[in-house]
Amino acid sequence: MGQQQRTAALGDPETWGELRERTVTWHDPGATVALGLSMSGSEYLTAMAEGRLPSSPIVSTAGMEAVRIEPGDVLMRCVADESFLNPIGVVHGGLISMLLDSAASAAVHSTLPAGVGFTTIEIKVSYLRAVRAGDELLVHGWVVKPGSRIAFAEADIRSAEGKTVATASTSLLVIGG
């Protein structure tokens, strides 16, 4: 037969299943950010993707990795683990939104010259499918319209089977320059 599944009982931690933990590590981002200001966005993102610079803490937390970085177009990969599950057992929409924002922002960042930054000022997310722990997600971001003050980008997440999980459109404020 298979492994017998126990039902959790209110107030009885012995029935709640194995306690799990997850360790996240990152480098102090201050030094990397300072160096990044002297590099174009494309150079900076490529250096992180190639391991010549540490990735940002949010990338480490979510377990994202760059697959492709081109000016105005990025592709990232993430496998959502069970630490991102919501109370009903599917991956929390906050992770999905963060992945979309990261891909769209990286696409814009990849077009910016040295010393120019950005921040998201608006994001609209459409959730299309549930994501389960262990699902491989491909996160694609692209610039729709670059700008000297405001840039517009879109992103989508697809399952390993190519099914669209979520989409987003964003507006980003370009800072500096």
Side-chain angles (χ1 to χ4, degrees), residues 124-168:
K124 180 204 179 289
V125 175
S126 295
Y127 300 95
L128 306 173
R129 296 184 187 286
V131 175
R132 309 252 181 243
D135 286 356
E136 178 182 6
L137 304 173
L138 296 172
V139 190
H140 181 209
W142 61 94
V143 174
V144 173
K145 182 181 180 301
S148 60
R149 294 296 299 149
I150 304 288
F152 299 90
E154 293 183 355
D156 67 20
I157 299 178
R158 294 184 185 269
S159 67
E161 297 78 34
K163 294 182 179 177
T164 305
V165 170
T167 63

Side-chain angles (χ1 to χ4, degrees), residues 56-136:
S56 67
I58 194 67
V59 167
S60 299
T61 300
M64 289 185 285
E65 62 184 20
V67 174
R68 181 185 74 239
I69 298 169
E70 296 172 359
D73 193 282
V74 300
L75 182 65
M76 297 189 277
R77 178 183 176 276
C78 175
V79 176
D81 68 36
E82 64 184 17
S83 69
F84 292 108
L85 295 183
N86 66 19
I88 63 169
V90 296
V91 171
H92 193 282
L95 175 68
I96 301 304
S97 180
M98 186 274 298
L99 293 172
L100 291 163
D101 184 46
S102 295
S105 297
V108 169
H109 193 185
S110 71
T111 67
L112 299 177
V116 178
F118 62 91
T119 188
T120 302
I121 55 175
E122 180 180 44
I123 184 167
K124 180 204 179 289
V125 175
S126 295
Y127 300 95
L128 306 173
R129 296 184 187 286
V131 175
R132 309 252 181 243
D135 286 356
E136 178 182 6

